[in-house]
Amino acid sequence: MWRVSSWSWGKWWGLIVWLGSILRVYGLAAAPLWYDEAITAWMAERPFGDMLTATGGDVHPPLWYAICWVTVRLLGTGWWLRVPAVLLAIASLFLLRQVAEAFRLSPAVILASTALMAFLPFDLYYAQEARMYALLQAGALWALLAVLRRRWVQLAIALTVLVYTHNYGAFYGAVLVALALARELRLPVHGVADPPFILTREPDADFRSPLIAAGVAGLLYLPWLGVMLAQAAEQREAWWSTSTTLGGVLNVLYMLWWHLSLQGLAAPAGALLAFTLTFGALGRALATRHPIGLQLAALALAPLAIALAVELVYRPVLLHRAMIGSAAPLYLLVAWAIHEGAPRWRAGLVWAALAPTLALGVLSYHPAMVLNKTGAGMDLWDAIRPRYEAGDLLYHANIGSIVDAHDLPAEIPHALMPVVPGSLGVPNAQVRQALGIEERPLVDLPFRRAWVVWLAGPVIASAEDRAVEAMLAEWPQAELVFTHSTAMGEARIWLIQR
Amino acid sequence: MAGRSQRRWHMSERYLAWLAHLAERDAQLTGLALICVTGVVMYYAFALWPAQLRPRAQQVSLAAAVVIYVACIVLVVGQMVGADRLAG
């Protein structure tokens, strides 16, 4: 039995899980909802039919929005929408242990992988995000556990959860079904003529059940398939992400470890650690051809390979957050490479390098998360508030600021300038209508005073810049009251008095 | 496919600045990854197949490799001091 001092490894595991759970709950309400979370809240607050319509016009499947819709009615909106993610992320820590035990990994590997998942900023960030990523991770772990335990009904349910959670769910599903079939290949196949008295410890290979589980999940997905294809067709040219490069792939690997937490010299140091451990673990799996190492390497990298293949035939889809289903296999792979059959001095050396950076990541996670989520929308409202008068209209040049302003008091009237084509990643008319956004030219709106808010990031097209200038030309009395510019973004507010 | 270049014509200077930021990040990460891959290859070259070299030759080549490796790290990381955070 693995022991440190008088504690069994199970107690150390419990301590790690407790600390990881505390970190997932700590400061849950500290940051405002950022754009993606705010639009999730907005959708979840709408009647169920409108929520479904908005989801259909957007880019994701509906399961997470349905969970948020229920959460709004049970707990409330705002940061309460992060509660399901926290619970799912804590459940993932337990699932990780079960997966590791199903792989028959040693206690040292279980402890190390749990520590990575519990403390790495990437997992902490998405545990506190009111989006579907914690569900995607839990679903992928559940499906993997079903594969390892050969629970095919559970696999069918978990695959269905995955494909209704995120479009990447199909990538993970394909890899997991392939893994299930590959594992079945290693089991004996007994013919009917085999003597019945020969007892084998291993069950017969079963290729049909994983395929049936995948088929059931596929059938259950059929009602959404048409919607997904329509979403895919619409987003083909309008999506914001750029073509993937080698650096883009490396950035995904980096983000799976440190996310946005490390600053200054700590960032390259963290990258060196992350890459060395990732490539080192892959190297060990390949050099030793160890079945567990190879399975974990496939689980960690195959979804990435599928995403890159999809890019070749469709459009760029690689997103670090959607790779969260690969995070747990990656942490298991690294922990396996550090500890399984390795000399103690080497494991000690690795942890001597990793532990300080991990501690720095934990310490810097919370302020980095709050900074990242404190959107410009709140800064803009701070600029308006001192001179705001009851009844003043907030007129948004694009959907970015109107979504950021969703947390503002309900009595403040908002309207949106008619959307100018060309900007990337903008929710379509179906979404905007289902959210009840009033989208009209300013001249058509009744107002005494209007605050025109223009928030322009990299994906806002030049055509919108010109449209805002043209609109303001109609109001020579417009007073510029706030301006802020960086290389990649601009924010301006004008006050118009009629 | 809607790639970086096809979009330039209708996007603003902000988009171009973003692409420049991504390119800088890509270059930094690629440099760091090269260091790590080299280190991992060196590790397996010396750890898994030590019998390929005679002990004395192995020690000398290992020492030379470590010196080159550390110099590479100092060179690449040194250039990054003061740079903005890596991932954005």
Side-chain angles (χ1 to χ4, degrees):
Chain A
M1 177 66 78
W2 191 92
R3 296 181 85 84
V4 173
S5 176
S6 60
W7 274 26
S8 68
W9 75 271
K11 282 186 181 171
W12 285 103
W13 180 84
L15 179 66
I16 293 169
V17 169
W18 267 113
L19 290 174
S21 302
I22 290 167
L23 286 170
R24 279 156 175 73
V25 175
Y26 175 75
L28 196 60
L33 302 185
W34 74 288
Y35 178 88
D36 282 11
E37 291 181 309
I39 203 163
T40 304
W42 197 335
M43 288 162 82
E45 290 162 18
R46 301 290 294 171
F48 195 79
D50 284 350
M51 184 273 286
L52 267 187
T53 305
T55 308
D58 196 36
V59 294
H60 294 297
L63 181 57
W64 180 254
Y65 297 107
I67 290 171
C68 288
W69 190 87
V70 174
T71 306
V72 165
R73 275 132 195 101
L74 289 180
L75 299 175
T77 187
W79 68 269
W80 285 103
L81 288 172
R82 293 173 180 152
V83 170
V86 170
L87 297 176
L88 286 159
I90 293 172
S92 287
L93 293 170
F94 287 83
L95 284 167
L96 180 75
R97 173 172 172 171
Q98 307 230 340
V99 164
E101 287 177 343
F103 269 122
R104 294 178 188 161
L105 292 168
S106 69
V109 177
I110 295 176
L111 283 178
S113 56
T114 308
L116 289 174
M117 187 187 252
F119 303 135
L120 276 176
F122 175 78
D123 250 83
L124 289 176
Y125 190 92
Y126 291 104
Q128 297 195 318
E129 173 101 328
R131 296 285 286 166
M132 64 286 291
Y133 301 103
L135 178 59
L136 188 62
Q137 181 171 50
L141 276 167
W142 183 25
L144 175 56
L145 190 60
V147 167
L148 300 177
R149 290 180 174 171
R150 306 176 81 237
R151 304 282 168 81
W152 307 122
V153 175
Q154 282 190 36
L155 179 63
I157 300 169
L159 290 176
T160 309
V161 167
L162 279 176
V163 290
Y164 271 102
T165 298
H166 196 282
N167 293 326
Y168 264 55
F171 303 172
Y172 296 116
V175 173
L176 287 162
V177 172
L179 177 73
L181 294 173
R183 286 174 66 88
E184 293 302 313
L185 266 178
R186 297 170 57 213
L187 294 174
V189 180
H190 292 117
V192 288
D194 287 349
F197 49 82
I198 296 178
L199 295 174
T200 56
R201 285 177 154 218
E202 291 187 318
D204 276 8
D206 178 3
F207 298 103
R208 232 173 43 163
S209 297
L211 291 173
I212 290 174
V216 168
L219 278 176
L220 291 171
Y221 185 69
L222 273 183
W224 191 257
L225 181 65
V227 181
M228 188 277 285
L229 291 174
Q231 290 174 335
E234 185 170 354
Q235 292 296 332
R236 189 178 176 97
E237 298 301 329
W239 192 238
W240 58 270
S241 57
T242 59
S243 304
T244 303
T245 57
L246 174 62
V249 173
L250 293 167
N251 184 53
V252 169
L253 287 180
Y254 174 86
M255 294 293 263
L256 285 177
W257 286 74
W258 308 113
H259 201 250
L260 299 169
S261 290
L262 300 182
Q263 304 292 323
L265 197 56
L272 280 172
L273 260 174
F275 295 158
T276 301
L277 291 175
T278 303
F279 298 140
L282 287 171
R284 181 157 190 229
L286 291 172
T288 60
R289 292 186 181 81
H290 194 287
I292 292 176
L294 290 174
Q295 286 176 69
L296 291 172
L299 286 165
L301 291 186
L304 177 67
I306 294 176
L308 294 175
V310 168
E311 174 161 345
L312 289 177
V313 294
Y314 175 49
R315 63 152 167 79
V317 293
L318 188 61
L319 257 182
H320 69 270
R321 48 187 179 251
M323 291 304 303
I324 194 167
S326 290
L330 177 66
Y331 304 153
L332 282 167
L333 174 70
V334 169
W336 166 83
I338 294 173
H339 287 285
E340 200 78 47
R344 290 184 81 119
W345 67 265
R346 199 178 70 186
L349 201 65
V350 171
W351 279 106
L354 183 55
T357 319
L358 198 55
L360 184 64
V362 169
L363 290 173
S364 54
Y365 157 70
H366 193 259
M369 180 272 289
V370 172
L371 183 71
N372 192 47
K373 288 191 175 181
T374 305
M378 294 298 103
D379 298 333
L380 296 177
W381 174 240
D382 286 345
I384 294 171
R385 187 175 10 220
R387 291 175 62 189
Y388 186 81
E389 293 175 10
D392 283 2
L393 171 72
L394 260 61
Y395 190 68
H396 302 269
N398 61 51
I399 200 159
S401 59
I402 201 171
V403 171
D404 279 342
H406 182 63
D407 269 354
L408 296 181
E411 59 270 20
I412 297 175
H414 296 268
L416 178 67
M417 189 175 87
V419 169
V420 179
S423 294
L424 305 172
V426 177
N428 66 16
Q430 180 183 327
V431 179
R432 301 195 299 268
Q433 282 165 17
L435 293 179
I437 294 173
E438 186 169 19
E439 188 174 335
R440 289 164 65 187
L442 186 59
V443 289
D444 294 349
L445 291 165
F447 69 90
R448 190 177 63 83
R449 300 198 332 157
W451 298 83
V452 176
V453 181
W454 183 55
L455 191 62
V459 294
I460 297 297
S462 306
E464 185 184 296
D465 299 2
R466 292 193 293 274
V468 171
E469 286 167 12
M471 184 265 291
L472 286 166
E474 296 172 17
W475 305 91
Q477 71 272 43
E479 174 196 357
L480 181 65
V481 294
F482 177 83
T483 180
H484 179 73
S485 291
T486 64
M488 288 186 278
E490 294 168 72
R492 283 181 206 153
I493 300 174
W494 294 265
L495 173 61
I496 296 176
Q497 306 201 43
R498 213 163 203 171
Chain B
M1 189 188 301
R4 291 182 182 183
S5 57
Q6 290 96 324
R7 287 171 170 178
R8 285 170 187 263
W9 66 272
H10 74 273
M11 300 308 288
S12 66
E13 292 296 315
R14 298 179 298 269
Y15 189 74
L16 300 180
W18 185 43
L19 294 188
H21 165 75
L22 292 179
E24 185 187 352
R25 179 206 69 186
D26 287 1
Q28 289 182 352
L29 288 171
T30 305
L32 292 168
L34 268 175
I35 289 174
C36 299
V37 169
T38 311
V40 168
V41 170
M42 274 169 52
Y43 174 82
Y44 283 109
F46 287 105
L48 294 184
W49 298 287
Q52 303 286 330
L53 297 167
R54 290 191 344 202
R56 183 73 182 161
Q58 187 189 1
Q59 284 168 10
V60 171
S61 55
L62 179 60
V66 168
V67 168
I68 294 167
Y69 185 55
V70 171
C72 282
I73 293 177
V74 170
L75 196 69
V76 173
V77 177
Q79 286 180 334
M80 290 177 189
V81 177
D84 288 335
R85 63 184 183 190
L86 272 174

